[in-house]
Amino acid sequence: CIYLAQRNSSQYPGIVQQKKDESMFTIADGLVQELLLRRLFKAVHFKAVVAEEDVSCNISTPPFSVGGLQIPDTSQISENIQKACLQLDTYAKELEAIQNRSGLLRSMTVFLDPIDGTKEFVNQKGECCTICVGFS
């Protein structure tokens, strides 16, 4: 996300698009959501998961894509995705252990806003946006 936030749409056209509700969607929105859902939460069975974005992603094999947007083909982005996957896999094992010990997570609903403050993110004001994960 940091790497993408430092770029803008003039450097990489097609990393931002407008959704039907006129809010913005970026590659980073899709990447964060995909990484959290498919890597961090992969082995945990929550009651439900409510995620903001409704997109399909390919972060398995290049060319990577999020929704209708193609992720710029740079080695730094690929390396960052691979590093994030490894880190999230480690955290996923910890969540799975918690679930196996207590079963608590099965009764929880997860709410996910992959980048809260997308407009600020697009305008390179990264300090004004967060990744929000809520549990209920």
Side-chain angles (χ1 to χ4, degrees), residues 52-65:
E52 182 176 355
E53 307 302 342
D54 183 22
V55 296
S56 60
C57 297
N58 168 33
I59 59 169
S60 300
T61 56
F64 301 127
S65 63

